[in-house]
Amino acid sequence: MKKYRFMLIGCGRISKNHIAAAAANRDIMELVAVCDPMTEKAEQKADDCRNAAGYRPKVYGDYRKALAELEIDCCSIATESGYHAQIALDCIRAGRNVLVEKPMALSTKDAEQMLSEAKAHGVTVGVCHQNRFNAPVQELHRALNDGRFGKLVSGTARILWNRSMPYYEQAPWRGTWAQDGGTLMNQCIHGIDLLQWNLGGEPDTIMAMTGNYLRDIQAEDFGAILIRFKNGAVGIVEGTACVYPKNLEETLSVFGETGAAVIGGLAVNRIQTWNFSSPAAQDSEVEKLVGTDPKDVYGSGHNALYQNYIEAIDSHTEPLVSGAEGIKGMKIILAAYKSQKTGLPVKFDDLEFSTLDMTHEDVRVN
């Protein structure tokens, strides 16, 4: 396998995980450039890369300049959410593969355009839903594929977190409809991705109630979603930024005719329930996954996600979290927003919606 040349665009809060992934995968990738309009941030990340991986990437304030000057295979996009789609399209049109942080876009139109243009230019889009690579989540999905749950009945994603006003004030784009969305789009999308992936991956109808209760932001700080899947199973999402006084849990549960599993912990990293009607060799492996909580809610899944993404490009296959997969969680949330706005159930397949179609009045709770 060749060593793939990456550029990191955006040097904010999540960028440290991309630097760590570059170091962990130094045999198959090299971070040749880091970009941020605030070049002091990019300089710091270049230093961090030198300390972690043994080399220092070039620093740019403008990713378009780097695209014009450097030989780059892949662009990792970790900017504010509202810029993801345009930057991705610029990179795709320049013939570069794209790995984009969640959410891949803030509108169905932009996300679908990313996929369409990627296909036209022969490049690969991946989305950073790194929790799919957590060992307990992988075992859960393996059990599903092996039919151990029998007929699926339901599943839940509970993201019970705290995000105080200083969090939003630290970066004013957070909680805005133009650049972010609310807790469903920012904090809960990983759990929603895991829920849909493990309940069949084909949502049919979405209903939701959301609200802005405690945080002085434009978007919601609490949301509840019901999802009917095409296989009949029902998904339930409870997501909040209002838990006092700190993060409580992020939990994924799946229930079927012959099995029940619950994965919890700080970042969906601990198996709490593992009950099946018939034993399997897999169970002894699951017993070893006692697990410890990671340093933060991001976990360490970026390392495996990068490896999977690079191997997919090299073998001309699709990564586990392809663009077509990454659009699903985002689209469920946009359907939830539309349901909140209209008070009606929303069909997943027919959805055309954007966070810009929402206003504070749509979620304001008196």
Side-chain angles (χ1 to χ4, degrees):
M1 183 188 297
K2 65 175 266 190
K3 183 176 284 191
Y4 286 82
R5 296 162 63 88
F6 275 74
M7 170 169 59
L8 175 61
I9 305 171
C11 295
R13 182 170 176 161
I14 193 61
S15 61
K16 69 182 190 316
N17 291 64
H18 292 263
I19 299 294
N25 292 287
R26 60 171 66 88
D27 57 329
I28 56 174
M29 69 172 287
E30 179 184 0
L31 192 58
V32 299
V34 289
C35 303
D36 198 287
M38 298 178 67
T39 53
E40 63 273 18
K41 288 186 175 182
E43 293 283 359
Q44 180 60 61
K45 293 305 170 184
D47 289 342
D48 292 346
C49 185
R50 179 177 57 197
N51 294 335
Y55 62 85
R56 194 177 195 274
K58 293 184 177 180
V59 171
Y60 283 84
D62 188 338
Y63 67 91
R64 290 162 293 196
K65 189 171 188 291
L67 287 173
E69 292 182 357
L70 300 180
E71 292 184 13
I72 297 168
D73 300 304
C74 310
C75 298
S76 299
I77 301 169
T79 63
E80 299 91 331
S81 300
Y83 298 133
H84 287 177
Q86 186 57 60
I87 294 173
L89 287 168
D90 288 343
C91 296
I92 289 167
R93 291 163 184 166
R96 270 66 171 209
N97 301 291
V98 166
L99 180 62
V100 61
E101 272 294 338
K102 58 76 184 169
M104 63 186 294
L106 294 180
S107 75
T108 53
K109 179 181 178 181
D110 285 346
E112 288 162 1
Q113 186 176 0
M114 288 165 62
L115 300 185
S116 175
E117 295 208 23
K119 184 176 181 180
H121 286 85
V123 299
T124 298
V125 173
V127 182
C128 292
H129 283 304
Q130 69 274 6
N131 287 347
R132 286 198 188 190
F133 293 89
N134 291 0
V137 174
Q138 288 278 308
E139 292 295 341
L140 170 60
H141 201 71
R142 177 182 164 194
L144 283 158
N145 288 338
D146 289 347
R148 298 191 68 193
F149 284 87
K151 183 176 182 179
L152 287 174
V153 177
S154 66
T156 64
R158 302 183 76 211
I159 305 91
L160 308 182
W161 285 357
N162 175 282
R163 292 295 181 270
S164 62
M165 277 313 300
Y167 165 83
Y168 294 101
E169 291 163 353
Q170 182 185 46
W173 62 273
R174 292 173 181 159
T176 66
W177 290 120
Q179 293 295 327
D180 187 15
T183 191
L184 291 176
M185 190 67 84
N186 193 316
Q187 283 77 45
C188 303
I189 191 170
H190 287 302
I192 291 168
D193 171 69
L194 294 181
L195 181 67
Q196 67 83 20
W197 186 47
N198 286 292
L199 285 186
E202 293 187 328
D204 180 68
T205 307
I206 291 96
M207 295 185 66
M209 291 186 182
T210 75
N212 178 259
Y213 288 86
L214 302 180
R215 309 300 181 227
D216 186 17
I217 58 175
Q218 294 177 359
E220 85 286 349
D221 55 22
F222 171 85
I225 310 175
L226 279 176
I227 310 162
R228 170 77 75 178
F229 288 83
K230 292 180 180 178
N231 61 12
V234 173
I236 304 166
V237 178
E238 179 186 8
T240 180
C242 297
V243 171
Y244 179 84
K246 61 182 180 179
N247 289 357
L248 182 61
E249 66 175 279
E250 181 178 8
T251 303
L252 172 70
S253 305
V254 176
F255 305 105
E257 179 185 13
T258 55
V262 179
I263 306 176
L266 182 66
V268 203
N269 55 285
R270 291 176 180 267
I271 292 179
Q272 297 177 339
T273 299
W274 189 263
N275 296 326
F276 292 95
S277 61
S278 300
Q282 177 189 21
D283 297 337
S284 61
E285 296 299 315
V286 169
E287 288 177 2
K288 300 174 185 177
L289 297 176
V290 177
T292 57
D293 282 330
K295 291 184 295 184
D296 55 44
V297 295
Y298 300 129
S300 58
H302 279 82
N303 296 359
L305 181 141
Y306 263 83
Q307 180 181 354
N308 174 266
Y309 177 71
I310 293 168
E311 289 175 350
I313 293 171
D314 197 70
S315 60
H316 305 288
T317 57
E318 287 294 302
L320 178 64
V321 196
S322 63
E325 282 294 296
I327 198 174
K328 293 179 181 179
M330 178 213 76
K331 197 170 174 182
I332 287 170
I333 296 164
L334 289 174
Y337 287 160
K338 184 173 182 180
S339 180
Q340 167 65 28
K341 186 180 183 75
T342 63
L344 299 171
V346 174
K347 283 292 186 180
F348 180 86
D349 289 343
D350 300 331
L351 181 68
E352 292 184 10
F353 205 70
S354 167
T355 56
L356 292 176
D357 294 322
M358 297 292 288
T359 70
H360 180 63
E361 292 302 309
D362 292 321
V363 296
R364 185 165 64 92
V365 178
N366 293 324

